[in-house]
C-alpha cells in the first residue's frame, strides 16, 4: 500500500514468537494509521476488563501514512494501550525520529503482547527482529541508557527506553526517546515496564512506496515553503512552546500552587525570554521539522543538560509548585526524564501533596520529614526520586492523584486536579468554559493536545456557555488528533498558521487516495466514538459523572490574579455536557446512540 510500511509486527514476549502480517487494507481505509490503528487494535484485540499490567494488555506503537516522508514534522508516533493510570484508553504521541525508522523497517504497527519472563530489549534491523537480554540495563536511567545504546549501536539506530519509574510500576511512567522526547501520558511506560521491555532499538533502510512522485515533490515543497515563509517562524523557533508562558500568566491560565490560581506573582522569571537567555544553548527538532521547537539547555547551577523545559513542564513543575527559578524547573525536568516519569502528572501529584501538607492533611510523619511547602525545591527533587522508586510518600503518589486522594480522603479529593484519573495539564480552567469542556471530554483524561480551545475562550468571551463553543471543541477533537493519525506534527498548523488544505494533495500524492479534510474529520470522529465505547466497556459505572472536572474549577474561584473571583458554576458545567452530548449524538449519560454508531460505521464493532 502506498504510504505504508506494509506490515504489522507482533512480538509475543511470553513465548518469544515474532510474526509479521500485512497491514489490513480495510483498517487503513477506515482508521488511516497512528492513533487510529492503535484505537482499533486496542478495542478489537485486548479483551474487555484486561488488567493494564497483565498478560492480556498490549502496547501498540503505530506510525501514520505521512511518517518518515518529506512532510514537515513527519516524525510522530502513537503509543496506545489500556492505561494503568485511568483504567481506560491511553494514547501518547512521541516526536523525534523513532517512527521514521519504523516505517523504513517496513512496520506500520509494532504490537508488544504478553510478558517477558526476564528483562529484555527489542532489537530491530530491517527483517532482523530479536529479543535480547536486558538484565544489565534494568535500573538504569532513561537518558543514560539511551546514550549507551547509541554508542553501542551507532547514531542511525533510534531508541525508545523506559526509566526506573516504568520498571517500578509508577502509574504515569513515560517512554523516552532522543534524549528528551517522550510518549508521556497515561502510563504507556508503565505498561512497557510491566512487559519487562527496557528498550526498543530500531533501524530500517527500506523505501516507502509513494503513489505519485511528481505530485509528492511539488505538494510537499509547497508545505515546506509555507512554513519557511510563515510570519511566526522566527519567534516560534526562538521560544518553542514557552512562547505561551507569559500569555498564560497574563490571562490567568498558568497553573499556580495546585491550580488554586491562574497567575503566579513570580511568573516572570519563568517566561520564555528569561529561559532563552539563561539556559538555552540550541534548538532541537524532530524528523523533517522546518520549525524546531525543542530547546536544549545547560543548567549552570546543577552542571547538567536537558531538553526543555517546555511550557507544560514549566507550568506543572514550576508555578504549580510555587517554584519560580527556571534552573530549578529545568533540573526537575531532567530528573523526571532520567527516572522515566511524566512531568505533567508528577507536577500535579506533588502540587496536591504540597497543598495537603500546608492544610495539615499530610504531616511530616507522612512526608518522611520533608517540609513539603510550595516553593521548596530540595523537597521537590527528593519527592520526584521517591515517586520513581515508589518509596515512602512517593508510593502513595505513584498511583496518580485520583487514587492518592481517594486513599487519603479528608476532603483532599476536592483539590485532586484530574479528569477520569488523568492529571490535568497546564491550563487553569476556572474561567474558560471551552477549555474546561475540552478537558472534561478528552478521550484520555484531562489532556490539552486534543482540543486547545483556550484562545477561542478569549476571543468569544471566556465565561460564555454556548453552542458555538461546544461546536468548536468537538471540531478540534475530531480534527487536531488527525495529525497523530497521519503521523505528522500539528504545530505547523497551530503555531505557524499553515493552511491545512496544503496537506490534502500531499496525502493524496503519497497514498494515491483523494481525501478532503471533511473525510479526515469523519475518521477522527469515528476514532473518538470508538474510544468512548472503550471507556464504557472497561468501566462498569462509566457515565456522565466521569466527565466532571475537579470541583476546584466550579467551587473555588481563584483569590488572586486576573481571574480572581471568577468561576464557572456547576449548573453551567452540566449545561456544557448536555450541549456536548447532543451535538455529538450521544445519550444523556454520554454514550453514542445507535444512529451515531451507524453513521460512523461502528455499529458492528459496538455489538
Ligand atoms: Fe517536533 Fe516541535 Fe517540530 Fe513539531 S514543531 S515536529 S514538536 S520540533
Amino acid at each position: 500500500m502506498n504510504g505504508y510500511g506494509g506490515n504489522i509486527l507482533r512480538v509475543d514476549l511470553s513465548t518469544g514468537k515474532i510474526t509479521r502480517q500485512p497491514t489490513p487494507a480495510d483498517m487503513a481505509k477506515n482508521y488511516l494509521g497512528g492513533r487510529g490503528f492503535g484505537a482499533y487494535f486496542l478495542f478489537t484485540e485486548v479483551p474487555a476488563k484486561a488488567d493494564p499490567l497483565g498478560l492480556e494488555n498490549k502496547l501498540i506503537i503505530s506510525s501514520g501514512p505521512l511518517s518518515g516522508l518529506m512532510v514537515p514534522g513527519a516524525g510522530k508516533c502513537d503509543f496506545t494501550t489500556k492505561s494503568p493510570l485511568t483504567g481506560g484508553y491511553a494514547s501518547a504521541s512521541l516526536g523525534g525520529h523513532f517512527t521514521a525508522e519504523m516505517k523504513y523497517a517496513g512496520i506500520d504497527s509494532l504490537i508488544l503482547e504478553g510478558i517477558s519472563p526476564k528483562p529484555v530489549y527489542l532489537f530491530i534491523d530491517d527483517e532482523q527482529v530479536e529479543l535480547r537480554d536486558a538484565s544489565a540495563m534494568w535500573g538504569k536511567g532513561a537518558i543514560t541508557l539511551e546514550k549507551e545504546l547509541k554508542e553501542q549501536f551507532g547514531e542511525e539506530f533510534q531508541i525508545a527506553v523506559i526509566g526506573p519509574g516504568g520498571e517500578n510500576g509508577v502509574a504515569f511512567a513515560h517512554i523516552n526517546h532522543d534524549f528528551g522526547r517522550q510518549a508521556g501520558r497515561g502510563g504507556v511506560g508503565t505498561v512497557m515496564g510491566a512487559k519487562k521491555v527496557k528498550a526498543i532499538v530500531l533501524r530500517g533502510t527500506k523505501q516507502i512506496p509513494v503513489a505519485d512522485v511528481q505530485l509528492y515533490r511539488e505538494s510537499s515543497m509547497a508545505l515546506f515553503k509555507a512554513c519557511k515563509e510563515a510570519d511566526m517562524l522566527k519567534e516560534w523557533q526562538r521560544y518553542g512552546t514557552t512562547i505561551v508562558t507569559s500569555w498564560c500568566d497574563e490571562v490567568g491560565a498558568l497553573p499556580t500552587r495546585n491550580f488554586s490560581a491562574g497567575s503566579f506573582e513570580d511568573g516572570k522569571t519563568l517566561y520564555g525570554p528569561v529561559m532563552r537567555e539563561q539556559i538555552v544553548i540550541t534548538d532541537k527538532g524532530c524528523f523533517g521539522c522546518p520549525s524546531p521547537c525543542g530547546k536544549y539547555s545547560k543548567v549552570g547551577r546543577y552542571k547538567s543538560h536537558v531538553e526543555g523545559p517546555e511550557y507544560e513542564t514549566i507550568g506543572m513543575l514550576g508555578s504549580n509548585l510555587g517554584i519560580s527559578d527556571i534552573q530549578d524547573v529545568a533540573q526537575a525536568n531532567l530528573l523526571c526524564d532520567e527516572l522515566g516519569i511524566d512531568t505533567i502528572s508528577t507536577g500535579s501529584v506533588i502540587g496536591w501533596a504540597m497543598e495537603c501538607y500546608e492544610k495539615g492533611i499530610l504531616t511530616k510523619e507522612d512526608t518522611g520529614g520533608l517540609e513539603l511547602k510550595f516553593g521548596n525545591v530540595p523537597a521537590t527533587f527528593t519527592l520526584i526520586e521517591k515517586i520513581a522508586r515508589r518509596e515512602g510518600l512517593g508510593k502513595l503518589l505513584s498511583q496518580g492523584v485520583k487514587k492518592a486522594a481517594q486513599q487519603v480522603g479528608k476532603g483532599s479529593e476536592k483539590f485532586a486536579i484530574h479528569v477520569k484519573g488523568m492529571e490535568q495539564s497546564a491550563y487553569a480552567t476556572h474561567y474558560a468554559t471551552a477549555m474546561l469542556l475540552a478537558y472534561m471530554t478528552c478521550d484520555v483524561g484531562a489532556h490539552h493536545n486534543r482540543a486547545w480551545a483556550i484562545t477561542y475562550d478569549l476571543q468569544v468571551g471566556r465565561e460564555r456557555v454556548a453552542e458555538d463553543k461546544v461546536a468548536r471543541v468537538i471540531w478540534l477533537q475530531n480534527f487536531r488528533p488527525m495529525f497523530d493519525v497521519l503521523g505528522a506534527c500539528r504545530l505547523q498548523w497551530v503555531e505557524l498558521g499553515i493552511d491545512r488544505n496544503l496537506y490534502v494533495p500531499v496525502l493524496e500524492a503519497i497514498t494515491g487516495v483523494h481525501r478532503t479534510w471533511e473525510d479526515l474529520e469523519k475518521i477522527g470522529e469515528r476514532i473518538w466514538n470508538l474510544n468512548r465505547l472503550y471507556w464504557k466497556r472497561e468501566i462498569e459505572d462509566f457515565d456522565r459523572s466521569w466527565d466532571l472536572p475537579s470541583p476546584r474549577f466550579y467551587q473555588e474561584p481563584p483569590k488572586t490574579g486576573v481571574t480572581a473571583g471568577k468561576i464557572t458554576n456547576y449548573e453551567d458545567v452540566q449545561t456544557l455536557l448536555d450541549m456536548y452530548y447532543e451535538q455529538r449524538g450521544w445519550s444523556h449519560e454520554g454514550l453514542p446512540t445507535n444512529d451515531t454508531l451507524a453513521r460512523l460505521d461502528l455499529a458492528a464493532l459496538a455489538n
Side-chain angles (χ1 to χ4, degrees):
M1 285 187 299
N2 288 312
Y4 291 85
N7 294 283
I8 309 298
L9 180 70
R10 289 175 189 276
V11 179
D12 186 331
L13 296 153
S14 300
T15 63
K17 190 174 167 202
I18 292 163
T19 50
R20 280 180 192 258
Q21 68 180 102
T23 302
D26 58 339
M27 185 177 75
K29 178 169 167 264
N30 293 325
Y31 294 92
L32 215 52
R35 211 172 80 88
F37 282 7
Y40 180 78
F41 280 128
L42 181 71
F43 194 87
T44 56
E45 293 194 3
V46 176
K49 314 284 191 297
D51 174 358
L53 304 183
L55 277 170
E56 293 177 323
N57 196 14
K58 301 188 182 190
L59 181 61
I60 305 147
I61 307 167
S62 304
S63 59
L66 302 185
S67 303
L69 285 153
M70 195 171 58
V71 178
K76 289 288 178 182
C77 190
D78 175 82
F79 289 67
T80 287
T81 195
K82 179 169 181 177
S83 170
L85 180 66
T86 68
Y89 163 74
S91 150
S93 173
L94 175 72
H97 305 262
F98 188 83
T99 196
E101 220 58 44
M102 246 177 90
K103 283 279 284 283
Y104 303 153
I107 303 166
D108 294 314
S109 290
L110 164 59
I111 305 181
L112 302 182
E113 307 177 342
I115 293 178
S116 170
K118 61 174 187 184
V120 290
Y121 71 98
L122 178 63
F123 178 84
I124 301 174
D125 190 1
D126 278 332
E127 299 299 311
Q128 184 188 357
V129 183
E130 291 170 11
L131 287 169
R132 296 181 176 176
D133 183 28
S135 304
M137 300 174 185
W138 209 247
K140 287 198 175 184
I143 309 271
T144 302
L145 180 59
E146 184 175 5
K147 189 161 174 279
E148 289 177 9
L149 290 170
K150 279 273 185 189
E151 281 164 8
Q152 182 179 347
F153 292 103
E155 270 304 312
E156 69 271 34
F157 279 86
Q158 296 302 329
I159 291 153
V161 56
I162 60 164
E167 297 172 16
N168 296 336
V170 176
F172 44 87
H174 69 217
I175 297 169
N176 181 77
H177 160 64
D178 200 24
F179 307 105
R181 293 270 161 189
Q182 285 90 23
R185 307 231 65 201
V188 292
T190 322
V191 174
M192 190 157 146
K195 295 194 173 302
K196 293 272 190 297
V197 177
K198 180 68 179 174
I200 303 168
V201 178
L202 175 70
R203 179 176 69 172
T205 60
K206 296 175 191 167
Q207 289 198 337
I208 302 165
V210 165
D212 183 335
V213 174
Q214 185 61 25
L215 179 61
Y216 168 51
R217 271 205 200 108
E218 289 168 8
S219 54
S220 68
M221 288 319 291
L223 253 178
F224 276 104
K225 186 165 178 285
C227 292
K228 283 288 171 204
E229 291 173 355
D231 292 341
M232 275 299 292
L233 177 64
K234 214 169 158 194
E235 213 174 335
W236 171 249
Q237 189 165 330
R238 186 158 177 75
Y239 300 117
T241 58
T242 71
I243 207 167
V244 300
T245 314
S246 56
W247 180 81
C248 285
D249 197 18
E250 281 155 23
V251 305
L254 186 68
T256 301
R257 296 188 185 86
N258 196 31
F259 286 87
S260 61
S263 304
F264 185 37
E265 64 281 4
D266 296 324
K268 287 186 176 52
T269 51
L270 299 174
Y271 289 1
V274 177
M275 172 175 148
R276 179 92 208 181
E277 189 170 315
Q278 280 199 14
I279 61 171
V280 174
I281 50 175
T282 190
D283 304 326
K284 192 162 172 262
C286 305
F287 172 87
C289 180
S291 51
C293 72
K295 302 294 148 241
Y296 199 66
S297 302
K298 182 177 176 184
V299 193
R301 183 176 310 141
Y302 299 98
K303 298 185 174 50
S304 60
H305 291 82
V306 63
E307 178 168 343
E310 50 76 59
Y311 167 70
E312 296 296 328
T313 300
I314 292 171
M316 297 308 294
L317 292 175
S319 50
N320 197 51
L321 304 185
I323 294 174
S324 58
D325 190 307
I326 195 69
Q327 296 204 36
D328 295 332
V329 178
Q331 186 65 13
N333 186 166
L334 177 61
L335 283 174
C336 288
D337 288 0
E338 177 74 342
L339 293 164
I341 56 177
D342 175 32
T343 55
I344 296 173
S345 289
T346 302
S348 184
V349 293
I350 295 178
W352 170 84
M354 285 177 164
E355 185 163 347
C356 284
Y357 185 81
E358 294 207 348
K359 287 185 163 151
I361 295 171
L362 292 176
T363 65
K364 265 199 179 155
E365 209 176 305
D366 302 305
T367 65
L370 291 176
E371 179 78 347
L372 203 55
K373 291 190 166 169
F374 285 109
N376 187 334
V377 174
T380 299
F381 291 174
T382 302
L383 202 44
I384 290 172
E385 292 266 0
K386 283 182 179 292
I387 289 169
R389 313 228 176 263
R390 301 189 72 220
E391 291 169 1
L393 180 62
K395 189 168 182 190
L396 174 83
L397 302 183
S398 72
Q399 307 170 85
V401 78
K402 179 183 176 184
K403 286 183 187 152
Q406 281 171 344
Q407 201 169 316
V408 168
K410 299 180 183 169
S412 68
E413 302 94 325
K414 288 191 173 177
F415 53 85
I417 313 297
H418 70 92
V419 178
K420 299 179 181 68
M422 177 178 276
E423 293 76 17
Q424 180 159 324
S425 54
Y427 299 93
T429 45
H430 306 82
Y431 195 52
T433 51
M435 194 68 218
L436 182 68
L437 181 66
Y439 276 132
M440 289 160 61
T441 56
C442 176
D443 62 357
V444 291
H447 194 41
H448 61 285
N449 79 346
R450 308 295 201 263
W452 196 67
I454 194 157
T455 50
Y456 192 70
D457 282 314
L458 273 288
Q459 274 168 32
V460 302
R462 51 201 299 170
E463 76 287 1
R464 282 177 62 239
V465 173
E467 297 286 359
D468 65 293
K469 280 201 169 184
V470 175
R472 179 78 178 185
V473 169
I474 291 174
W475 175 70
L476 286 169
Q477 289 174 339
N478 291 342
F479 161 60
R480 271 174 67 113
M482 282 310 293
F483 285 95
D484 296 325
V485 172
L486 295 170
C489 181
R490 70 172 65 79
L491 293 175
Q492 287 74 26
W493 170 73
V494 177
E495 303 294 345
L496 304 185
I498 301 306
D499 180 356
R500 66 179 188 148
N501 291 311
L502 287 173
Y503 288 86
V504 170
V506 182
L507 183 61
E508 180 171 351
I510 289 169
T511 61
V513 180
H514 177 72
R515 293 183 183 90
T516 64
W517 268 111
E518 286 67 38
D519 299 330
L520 296 174
E521 283 165 24
K522 185 166 179 190
I523 294 173
E525 190 182 2
R526 178 177 300 129
I527 296 166
W528 200 267
N529 279 268
L530 183 62
N531 292 337
R532 192 73 180 182
L533 292 177
Y534 184 75
W535 278 96
K536 177 60 187 169
R537 192 185 80 178
E538 297 306 306
I539 293 169
E540 210 65 57
D541 64 350
F542 188 79
D543 59 17
R544 62 188 286 140
S545 67
W546 282 75
D547 287 333
L548 290 177
S550 161
R552 175 144 282 174
F553 297 118
Y554 55 82
Q555 287 181 350
E556 289 181 58
K559 292 192 177 69
T560 56
V562 295
T563 54
K566 312 270 192 183
I567 198 134
T568 308
N569 66 42
Y570 184 70
E571 289 69 36
D572 283 346
V573 168
Q574 292 290 354
T575 303
L576 282 167
L577 271 189
D578 287 338
M579 288 177 175
Y580 180 89
Y581 293 166
E582 177 78 26
Q583 287 195 33
R584 274 266 179 220
W586 292 358
S587 68
H588 180 261
E589 290 307 322
L591 293 176
T593 62
N594 288 339
D595 286 352
T596 301
L597 294 174
R599 180 171 62 76
L600 296 169
D601 305 318
L602 285 172
L605 270 187
N607 297 315

